[in-house]
Amino acid sequence: PPPPPPPPPTPHMADSANKPQTKKHAQEAYQHELSAARKGDPAACYRISVLLDNDDGCPTGLPRYIAKEEATAWLMKAAELGNADAQYRVADNYETCAWNPEANATVEEQKDNHTNALFWYRKAAAQGKIAAFRKVAAYYSGGNGVDKKPAEAMKWLRRAADAGDKVAAFDLARLYQMEGVEQDHA
């Protein structure tokens, strides 16, 4: 006999790999997540932000610019409630100037973006988000928004490498060579 068919899509949105297949599914997912988000579920707040920020079409029928504003508000709420994925995404938005995209940003505005990005990357890293370890290391290695501290960069790269991040292991080796920092053989 043939294998059983896969289960139907659920309204629960774990990530972008679990996109709803139809507009109806998207609306059901949105309502399900909105209910949980309103109750303060950090993961649901994050998923609502992803649904609202989805370029394939917002399930709410809101105009695009309003959906983007709502997405940002839910993303910040998720980050403030401690969702590491949201914290990482908030940091990335600051780092890439997505929330301050003016080409004429002052040096002070650019520094504020880097300061905010580092703050949120550190929050995500504190919860074990490996990609955030490498981002924090890059800030200390390059001196973006903070004083350049090769030893601090190495500490964060070592954490990422110890967690299995091969790029971090390569970057760590390169930093040893470039900065001449003594290797900790412990």
Side-chain angles (χ1 to χ4, degrees):
T10 64
H12 182 71
M13 292 289 294
D15 56 41
S16 62
N18 191 19
K19 282 186 181 177
Q21 302 300 311
T22 67
K23 186 171 184 162
K24 181 182 177 213
H25 286 125
Q27 289 169 339
E28 289 172 3
Y30 177 78
Q31 290 303 319
H32 174 80
E33 295 298 351
L34 186 59
S35 175
R38 286 181 173 153
K39 294 174 184 167
D41 179 342
C45 293
Y46 177 67
R47 289 187 297 264
I48 281 290
S49 77
V50 171
L51 282 168
L52 289 169
D53 201 27
N54 182 356
D55 288 333
D56 293 340
C58 177
T60 62
L62 291 171
R64 195 81 212 117
Y65 73 96
I66 293 175
K68 289 281 188 188
E69 289 174 8
E70 287 287 313
T72 299
W74 283 110
L75 181 63
M76 285 304 297
K77 181 171 180 136
E80 290 164 356
L81 288 172
N83 182 280
D85 291 327
Q87 292 167 338
Y88 186 88
R89 194 163 172 198
V90 165
D92 187 61
N93 283 337
Y94 277 118
E95 182 179 30
T96 61
C97 298
W99 289 344
N100 186 12
E102 294 86 25
N104 300 334
T106 67
V107 171
E108 194 59 37
E109 288 170 330
Q110 291 173 8
K111 185 177 180 181
D112 287 347
N113 281 346
H114 287 300
T115 300
N116 286 327
L118 180 59
F119 172 82
W120 287 108
Y121 281 136
R122 287 183 70 104
K123 289 262 193 194
Q127 295 188 73
K129 184 138 182 92
I130 297 168
F133 295 164
R134 200 165 3 112
K135 288 288 195 170
V136 172
Y139 270 87
Y140 286 114
S141 177
N144 294 331
V146 295
D147 292 334
K148 191 173 182 178
K149 296 180 182 175
E152 187 71 11
M154 293 178 121
K155 175 183 105 175
W156 288 99
L157 282 174
R158 189 173 301 111
R159 286 182 71 186
D162 288 349
D165 186 324
K166 290 180 169 96
V167 173
F170 175 80
D171 289 347
L172 185 60
R174 191 180 62 184
L175 195 57
Y176 280 126
Q177 289 177 335
M178 289 173 48
E179 298 295 335
V181 175
E182 282 295 313
Q183 218 170 358
D184 180 4
H185 296 287

mmCIF file of all heavy atoms in Angstrom, residues 70-110:
data_model
loop_
_atom_site.group_PDB
_atom_site.id
_atom_site.type_symbol
_atom_site.label_atom_id
_atom_site.label_comp_id
_atom_site.label_asym_id
_atom_site.label_seq_id
_atom_site.Cartn_x
_atom_site.Cartn_y
_atom_site.Cartn_z
ATOM 1 N N GLU A 70 3.054 47.573 11.845
ATOM 2 C CA GLU A 70 2.576 46.573 12.806
ATOM 3 C C GLU A 70 3.629 45.474 13.011
ATOM 4 O O GLU A 70 3.846 45.016 14.126
ATOM 5 C CB GLU A 70 1.264 45.949 12.322
ATOM 6 C CG GLU A 70 0.077 46.879 12.427
ATOM 7 C CD GLU A 70 -0.378 47.081 13.861
ATOM 8 O OE1 GLU A 70 -0.509 46.096 14.603
ATOM 9 O OE2 GLU A 70 -0.584 48.242 14.232
ATOM 10 N N ALA A 71 4.260 45.052 11.919
ATOM 11 C CA ALA A 71 5.301 44.019 12.008
ATOM 12 C C ALA A 71 6.424 44.487 12.925
ATOM 13 O O ALA A 71 6.912 43.731 13.770
ATOM 14 C CB ALA A 71 5.842 43.687 10.623
ATOM 15 N N THR A 72 6.822 45.734 12.770
ATOM 16 C CA THR A 72 7.896 46.294 13.593
ATOM 17 C C THR A 72 7.481 46.321 15.067
ATOM 18 O O THR A 72 8.268 45.963 15.944
ATOM 19 C CB THR A 72 8.271 47.701 13.106
ATOM 20 O OG1 THR A 72 8.727 47.608 11.758
ATOM 21 C CG2 THR A 72 9.356 48.320 13.967
ATOM 22 N N ALA A 73 6.247 46.722 15.331
ATOM 23 C CA ALA A 73 5.773 46.790 16.718
ATOM 24 C C ALA A 73 5.764 45.394 17.356
ATOM 25 O O ALA A 73 6.208 45.228 18.499
ATOM 26 C CB ALA A 73 4.374 47.411 16.770
ATOM 27 N N TRP A 74 5.275 44.385 16.631
ATOM 28 C CA TRP A 74 5.254 43.021 17.172
ATOM 29 C C TRP A 74 6.671 42.471 17.326
ATOM 30 O O TRP A 74 6.962 41.742 18.279
ATOM 31 C CB TRP A 74 4.407 42.089 16.308
ATOM 32 C CG TRP A 74 2.932 42.282 16.519
ATOM 33 C CD1 TRP A 74 2.042 42.815 15.634
ATOM 34 C CD2 TRP A 74 2.179 41.969 17.691
ATOM 35 N NE1 TRP A 74 0.785 42.846 16.183
ATOM 36 C CE2 TRP A 74 0.840 42.324 17.446
ATOM 37 C CE3 TRP A 74 2.503 41.412 18.921
ATOM 38 C CZ2 TRP A 74 -0.173 42.145 18.395
ATOM 39 C CZ3 TRP A 74 1.501 41.239 19.857
ATOM 40 C CH2 TRP A 74 0.182 41.595 19.596
ATOM 41 N N LEU A 75 7.547 42.815 16.400
ATOM 42 C CA LEU A 75 8.939 42.365 16.489
ATOM 43 C C LEU A 75 9.593 42.926 17.753
ATOM 44 O O LEU A 75 10.254 42.198 18.496
ATOM 45 C CB LEU A 75 9.719 42.777 15.240
ATOM 46 C CG LEU A 75 11.181 42.356 15.190
ATOM 47 C CD1 LEU A 75 11.309 40.834 15.178
ATOM 48 C CD2 LEU A 75 11.855 42.959 13.955
ATOM 49 N N MET A 76 9.402 44.204 18.002
ATOM 50 C CA MET A 76 9.975 44.811 19.207
ATOM 51 C C MET A 76 9.385 44.189 20.469
ATOM 52 O O MET A 76 10.102 43.936 21.427
ATOM 53 C CB MET A 76 9.750 46.329 19.208
ATOM 54 C CG MET A 76 10.657 47.085 18.259
ATOM 55 S SD MET A 76 12.429 46.802 18.529
ATOM 56 C CE MET A 76 12.663 47.441 20.170
ATOM 57 N N LYS A 77 8.074 43.936 20.455
ATOM 58 C CA LYS A 77 7.450 43.313 21.629
ATOM 59 C C LYS A 77 8.050 41.932 21.876
ATOM 60 O O LYS A 77 8.379 41.578 23.013
ATOM 61 C CB LYS A 77 5.939 43.211 21.451
ATOM 62 C CG LYS A 77 5.251 42.598 22.652
ATOM 63 C CD LYS A 77 3.748 42.694 22.582
ATOM 64 C CE LYS A 77 3.171 42.056 23.835
ATOM 65 N NZ LYS A 77 2.124 42.808 24.430
ATOM 66 N N ALA A 78 8.213 41.153 20.812
ATOM 67 C CA ALA A 78 8.808 39.812 20.945
ATOM 68 C C ALA A 78 10.226 39.907 21.495
ATOM 69 O O ALA A 78 10.613 39.120 22.367
ATOM 70 C CB ALA A 78 8.803 39.095 19.594
ATOM 71 N N ALA A 79 11.003 40.864 20.995
ATOM 72 C CA ALA A 79 12.379 41.038 21.467
ATOM 73 C C ALA A 79 12.395 41.431 22.940
ATOM 74 O O ALA A 79 13.167 40.879 23.733
ATOM 75 C CB ALA A 79 13.091 42.091 20.625
ATOM 76 N N GLU A 80 11.524 42.371 23.309
ATOM 77 C CA GLU A 80 11.466 42.813 24.703
ATOM 78 C C GLU A 80 10.998 41.697 25.641
ATOM 79 O O GLU A 80 11.384 41.653 26.805
ATOM 80 C CB GLU A 80 10.551 44.036 24.819
ATOM 81 C CG GLU A 80 11.169 45.272 24.182
ATOM 82 C CD GLU A 80 10.187 46.398 23.924
ATOM 83 O OE1 GLU A 80 8.968 46.215 24.165
ATOM 84 O OE2 GLU A 80 10.630 47.458 23.454
ATOM 85 N N LEU A 81 10.172 40.780 25.105
ATOM 86 C CA LEU A 81 9.705 39.648 25.909
ATOM 87 C C LEU A 81 10.725 38.513 25.966
ATOM 88 O O LEU A 81 10.496 37.499 26.613
ATOM 89 C CB LEU A 81 8.369 39.122 25.367
ATOM 90 C CG LEU A 81 7.160 40.024 25.607
ATOM 91 C CD1 LEU A 81 5.939 39.498 24.851
ATOM 92 C CD2 LEU A 81 6.858 40.142 27.095
ATOM 93 N N GLY A 82 11.853 38.667 25.241
ATOM 94 C CA GLY A 82 12.941 37.707 25.351
ATOM 95 C C GLY A 82 13.058 36.683 24.242
ATOM 96 O O GLY A 82 13.796 35.715 24.392
ATOM 97 N N ASN A 83 12.382 36.868 23.113
ATOM 98 C CA ASN A 83 12.514 35.925 22.004
ATOM 99 C C ASN A 83 13.853 36.178 21.299
ATOM 100 O O ASN A 83 14.075 37.257 20.752
ATOM 101 C CB ASN A 83 11.343 36.084 21.029
ATOM 102 C CG ASN A 83 11.414 35.096 19.896
ATOM 103 O OD1 ASN A 83 12.159 35.306 18.943
ATOM 104 N ND2 ASN A 83 10.654 34.025 19.995
ATOM 105 N N ALA A 84 14.746 35.192 21.334
ATOM 106 C CA ALA A 84 16.098 35.361 20.782
ATOM 107 C C ALA A 84 16.086 35.622 19.275
ATOM 108 O O ALA A 84 16.891 36.418 18.784
ATOM 109 C CB ALA A 84 16.954 34.133 21.094
ATOM 110 N N ASP A 85 15.183 34.972 18.545
ATOM 111 C CA ASP A 85 15.108 35.221 17.101
ATOM 112 C C ASP A 85 14.704 36.659 16.818
ATOM 113 O O ASP A 85 15.247 37.309 15.924
ATOM 114 C CB ASP A 85 14.127 34.258 16.430
ATOM 115 C CG ASP A 85 14.623 32.827 16.429
ATOM 116 O OD1 ASP A 85 15.849 32.616 16.339
ATOM 117 O OD2 ASP A 85 13.783 31.913 16.526
ATOM 118 N N ALA A 86 13.749 37.167 17.599
ATOM 119 C CA ALA A 86 13.318 38.558 17.434
ATOM 120 C C ALA A 86 14.456 39.512 17.817
ATOM 121 O O ALA A 86 14.690 40.515 17.131
ATOM 122 C CB ALA A 86 12.087 38.836 18.278
ATOM 123 N N GLN A 87 15.158 39.205 18.893
ATOM 124 C CA GLN A 87 16.270 40.062 19.308
ATOM 125 C C GLN A 87 17.329 40.132 18.215
ATOM 126 O O GLN A 87 17.852 41.207 17.912
ATOM 127 C CB GLN A 87 16.869 39.534 20.613
ATOM 128 C CG GLN A 87 15.932 39.692 21.783
ATOM 129 C CD GLN A 87 16.354 38.922 23.015
ATOM 130 O OE1 GLN A 87 17.112 37.956 22.939
ATOM 131 N NE2 GLN A 87 15.844 39.339 24.170
ATOM 132 N N TYR A 88 17.609 38.990 17.608
ATOM 133 C CA TYR A 88 18.598 38.948 16.527
ATOM 134 C C TYR A 88 18.117 39.775 15.332
ATOM 135 O O TYR A 88 18.877 40.534 14.742
ATOM 136 C CB TYR A 88 18.857 37.493 16.111
ATOM 137 C CG TYR A 88 19.967 37.358 15.105
ATOM 138 C CD1 TYR A 88 21.281 37.222 15.528
ATOM 139 C CD2 TYR A 88 19.712 37.374 13.740
ATOM 140 C CE1 TYR A 88 22.316 37.110 14.613
ATOM 141 C CE2 TYR A 88 20.735 37.271 12.816
ATOM 142 C CZ TYR A 88 22.037 37.131 13.260
ATOM 143 O OH TYR A 88 23.059 37.026 12.346
ATOM 144 N N ARG A 89 16.842 39.650 15.010
ATOM 145 C CA ARG A 89 16.304 40.386 13.858
ATOM 146 C C ARG A 89 16.261 41.885 14.126
ATOM 147 O O ARG A 89 16.532 42.686 13.234
ATOM 148 C CB ARG A 89 14.918 39.852 13.530
ATOM 149 C CG ARG A 89 14.420 40.282 12.187
ATOM 150 C CD ARG A 89 13.265 39.414 11.757
ATOM 151 N NE ARG A 89 12.677 39.945 10.553
ATOM 152 C CZ ARG A 89 11.476 39.632 10.136
ATOM 153 N NH1 ARG A 89 10.745 38.776 10.811
ATOM 154 N NH2 ARG A 89 11.005 40.152 9.039
ATOM 155 N N VAL A 90 15.927 42.281 15.346
ATOM 156 C CA VAL A 90 15.956 43.702 15.709
ATOM 157 C C VAL A 90 17.378 44.228 15.545
ATOM 158 O O VAL A 90 17.606 45.285 14.953
ATOM 159 C CB VAL A 90 15.446 43.927 17.152
ATOM 160 C CG1 VAL A 90 15.804 45.311 17.658
ATOM 161 C CG2 VAL A 90 13.935 43.701 17.222
ATOM 162 N N ALA A 91 18.345 43.478 16.058
ATOM 163 C CA ALA A 91 19.752 43.883 15.929
ATOM 164 C C ALA A 91 20.144 44.024 14.470
ATOM 165 O O ALA A 91 20.789 45.000 14.078
ATOM 166 C CB ALA A 91 20.653 42.860 16.626
ATOM 167 N N ASP A 92 19.741 43.059 13.668
ATOM 168 C CA ASP A 92 20.067 43.097 12.241
ATOM 169 C C ASP A 92 19.442 44.323 11.573
ATOM 170 O O ASP A 92 20.077 44.969 10.731
ATOM 171 C CB ASP A 92 19.592 41.815 11.562
ATOM 172 C CG ASP A 92 20.054 41.731 10.128
ATOM 173 O OD1 ASP A 92 21.288 41.727 9.904
ATOM 174 O OD2 ASP A 92 19.194 41.678 9.222
ATOM 175 N N ASN A 93 18.217 44.657 11.954
ATOM 176 C CA ASN A 93 17.582 45.858 11.389
ATOM 177 C C ASN A 93 18.348 47.122 11.753
ATOM 178 O O ASN A 93 18.486 48.023 10.930
ATOM 179 C CB ASN A 93 16.127 45.965 11.851
ATOM 180 C CG ASN A 93 15.219 45.020 11.109
ATOM 181 O OD1 ASN A 93 15.521 44.584 9.999
ATOM 182 N ND2 ASN A 93 14.105 44.682 11.717
ATOM 183 N N TYR A 94 18.838 47.192 12.983
ATOM 184 C CA TYR A 94 19.658 48.347 13.358
ATOM 185 C C TYR A 94 20.978 48.338 12.596
ATOM 186 O O TYR A 94 21.416 49.360 12.075
ATOM 187 C CB TYR A 94 19.939 48.370 14.862
ATOM 188 C CG TYR A 94 18.824 48.975 15.676
ATOM 189 C CD1 TYR A 94 18.142 48.224 16.623
ATOM 190 C CD2 TYR A 94 18.458 50.313 15.517
ATOM 191 C CE1 TYR A 94 17.121 48.769 17.379
ATOM 192 C CE2 TYR A 94 17.435 50.872 16.268
ATOM 193 C CZ TYR A 94 16.774 50.089 17.192
ATOM 194 O OH TYR A 94 15.763 50.648 17.943
ATOM 195 N N GLU A 95 21.618 47.176 12.543
ATOM 196 C CA GLU A 95 22.934 47.083 11.897
ATOM 197 C C GLU A 95 22.870 47.471 10.415
ATOM 198 O O GLU A 95 23.766 48.136 9.906
ATOM 199 C CB GLU A 95 23.495 45.670 12.033
ATOM 200 C CG GLU A 95 24.878 45.526 11.423
ATOM 201 C CD GLU A 95 25.445 44.132 11.569
ATOM 202 O OE1 GLU A 95 24.664 43.157 11.609
ATOM 203 O OE2 GLU A 95 26.670 44.020 11.652
ATOM 204 N N THR A 96 21.826 47.051 9.741
ATOM 205 C CA THR A 96 21.705 47.326 8.308
ATOM 206 C C THR A 96 20.988 48.644 8.034
ATOM 207 O O THR A 96 20.714 48.969 6.882
ATOM 208 C CB THR A 96 20.948 46.193 7.593
ATOM 209 O OG1 THR A 96 19.624 46.096 8.140
ATOM 210 C CG2 THR A 96 21.674 44.871 7.731
ATOM 211 N N CYS A 97 20.698 49.380 9.099
ATOM 212 C CA CYS A 97 20.005 50.669 9.001
ATOM 213 C C CYS A 97 18.623 50.517 8.374
ATOM 214 O O CYS A 97 18.103 51.451 7.767
ATOM 215 C CB CYS A 97 20.837 51.696 8.234
ATOM 216 S SG CYS A 97 22.400 52.061 9.025
ATOM 217 N N ALA A 98 18.017 49.355 8.503
ATOM 218 C CA ALA A 98 16.684 49.131 7.947
ATOM 219 C C ALA A 98 15.655 50.059 8.589
ATOM 220 O O ALA A 98 14.662 50.402 7.969
ATOM 221 C CB ALA A 98 16.262 47.676 8.129
ATOM 222 N N TRP A 99 15.904 50.473 9.842
ATOM 223 C CA TRP A 99 14.965 51.366 10.518
ATOM 224 C C TRP A 99 15.408 52.816 10.435
ATOM 225 O O TRP A 99 14.764 53.698 10.974
ATOM 226 C CB TRP A 99 14.803 50.952 11.967
ATOM 227 C CG TRP A 99 14.046 49.662 12.096
ATOM 228 C CD1 TRP A 99 13.279 49.066 11.140
ATOM 229 C CD2 TRP A 99 13.991 48.823 13.220
ATOM 230 N NE1 TRP A 99 12.745 47.910 11.610
ATOM 231 C CE2 TRP A 99 13.163 47.724 12.890
ATOM 232 C CE3 TRP A 99 14.550 48.873 14.485
ATOM 233 C CZ2 TRP A 99 12.883 46.704 13.785
ATOM 234 C CZ3 TRP A 99 14.281 47.855 15.364
ATOM 235 C CH2 TRP A 99 13.441 46.783 15.017
ATOM 236 N N ASN A 100 16.525 53.064 9.808
ATOM 237 C CA ASN A 100 17.019 54.428 9.607
ATOM 238 C C ASN A 100 17.749 54.450 8.267
ATOM 239 O O ASN A 100 18.957 54.627 8.216
ATOM 240 C CB ASN A 100 17.958 54.807 10.765
ATOM 241 C CG ASN A 100 18.381 56.260 10.688
ATOM 242 O OD1 ASN A 100 17.830 57.041 9.932
ATOM 243 N ND2 ASN A 100 19.382 56.621 11.482
ATOM 244 N N PRO A 101 17.009 54.234 7.171
ATOM 245 C CA PRO A 101 17.661 54.003 5.885
ATOM 246 C C PRO A 101 18.150 55.251 5.159
ATOM 247 O O PRO A 101 18.701 55.140 4.074
ATOM 248 C CB PRO A 101 16.552 53.324 5.072
ATOM 249 C CG PRO A 101 15.290 53.894 5.629
ATOM 250 C CD PRO A 101 15.571 54.101 7.107
ATOM 251 N N GLU A 102 17.987 56.414 5.748
ATOM 252 C CA GLU A 102 18.408 57.615 5.047
ATOM 253 C C GLU A 102 19.901 57.565 4.743
ATOM 254 O O GLU A 102 20.718 57.288 5.604
ATOM 255 C CB GLU A 102 18.120 58.884 5.868
ATOM 256 C CG GLU A 102 16.645 59.164 6.068
ATOM 257 C CD GLU A 102 16.089 58.422 7.266
ATOM 258 O OE1 GLU A 102 16.848 58.088 8.187
ATOM 259 O OE2 GLU A 102 14.875 58.152 7.266
ATOM 260 N N ALA A 103 20.225 57.834 3.496
ATOM 261 C CA ALA A 103 21.631 57.838 3.080
ATOM 262 C C ALA A 103 22.387 58.971 3.766
ATOM 263 O O ALA A 103 23.600 58.924 3.885
ATOM 264 C CB ALA A 103 21.721 57.974 1.563
ATOM 265 N N ASN A 104 21.659 59.977 4.235
ATOM 266 C CA ASN A 104 22.301 61.141 4.850
ATOM 267 C C ASN A 104 22.363 61.034 6.367
ATOM 268 O O ASN A 104 22.437 62.048 7.051
ATOM 269 C CB ASN A 104 21.537 62.419 4.466
ATOM 270 C CG ASN A 104 21.517 62.642 2.976
ATOM 271 O OD1 ASN A 104 22.404 62.190 2.261
ATOM 272 N ND2 ASN A 104 20.497 63.333 2.494
ATOM 273 N N ALA A 105 22.308 59.823 6.902
ATOM 274 C CA ALA A 105 22.357 59.655 8.355
ATOM 275 C C ALA A 105 23.659 60.240 8.887
ATOM 276 O O ALA A 105 24.723 60.063 8.299
ATOM 277 C CB ALA A 105 22.249 58.180 8.727
ATOM 278 N N THR A 106 23.543 60.948 9.992
ATOM 279 C CA THR A 106 24.727 61.542 10.596
ATOM 280 C C THR A 106 25.604 60.457 11.205
ATOM 281 O O THR A 106 25.164 59.326 11.428
ATOM 282 C CB THR A 106 24.329 62.540 11.707
ATOM 283 O OG1 THR A 106 23.730 61.807 12.774
ATOM 284 C CG2 THR A 106 23.379 63.613 11.182
ATOM 285 N N VAL A 107 26.828 60.833 11.508
ATOM 286 C CA VAL A 107 27.742 59.895 12.160
ATOM 287 C C VAL A 107 27.155 59.454 13.493
ATOM 288 O O VAL A 107 27.238 58.275 13.862
ATOM 289 C CB VAL A 107 29.133 60.546 12.353
ATOM 290 C CG1 VAL A 107 30.030 59.691 13.215
ATOM 291 C CG2 VAL A 107 29.777 60.840 11.010
ATOM 292 N N GLU A 108 26.504 60.377 14.204
ATOM 293 C CA GLU A 108 25.901 60.048 15.498
ATOM 294 C C GLU A 108 24.756 59.049 15.331
ATOM 295 O O GLU A 108 24.617 58.110 16.117
ATOM 296 C CB GLU A 108 25.403 61.321 16.198
ATOM 297 C CG GLU A 108 25.075 61.133 17.659
ATOM 298 C CD GLU A 108 26.256 60.648 18.486
ATOM 299 O OE1 GLU A 108 27.402 61.049 18.259
ATOM 300 O OE2 GLU A 108 26.016 59.826 19.392
ATOM 301 N N GLU A 109 23.929 59.236 14.287
ATOM 302 C CA GLU A 109 22.831 58.293 14.031
ATOM 303 C C GLU A 109 23.377 56.909 13.676
ATOM 304 O O GLU A 109 22.846 55.895 14.102
ATOM 305 C CB GLU A 109 21.937 58.808 12.896
ATOM 306 C CG GLU A 109 21.078 59.991 13.291
ATOM 307 C CD GLU A 109 20.387 60.645 12.117
ATOM 308 O OE1 GLU A 109 20.915 60.620 10.989
ATOM 309 O OE2 GLU A 109 19.298 61.200 12.346
ATOM 310 N N GLN A 110 24.455 56.888 12.893
ATOM 311 C CA GLN A 110 25.065 55.611 12.538
ATOM 312 C C GLN A 110 25.622 54.926 13.784
ATOM 313 O O GLN A 110 25.476 53.716 13.963
ATOM 314 C CB GLN A 110 26.164 55.807 11.499
ATOM 315 C CG GLN A 110 25.635 56.212 10.146
ATOM 316 C CD GLN A 110 26.742 56.573 9.174
ATOM 317 O OE1 GLN A 110 27.914 56.388 9.461
ATOM 318 N NE2 GLN A 110 26.357 57.090 8.027
#
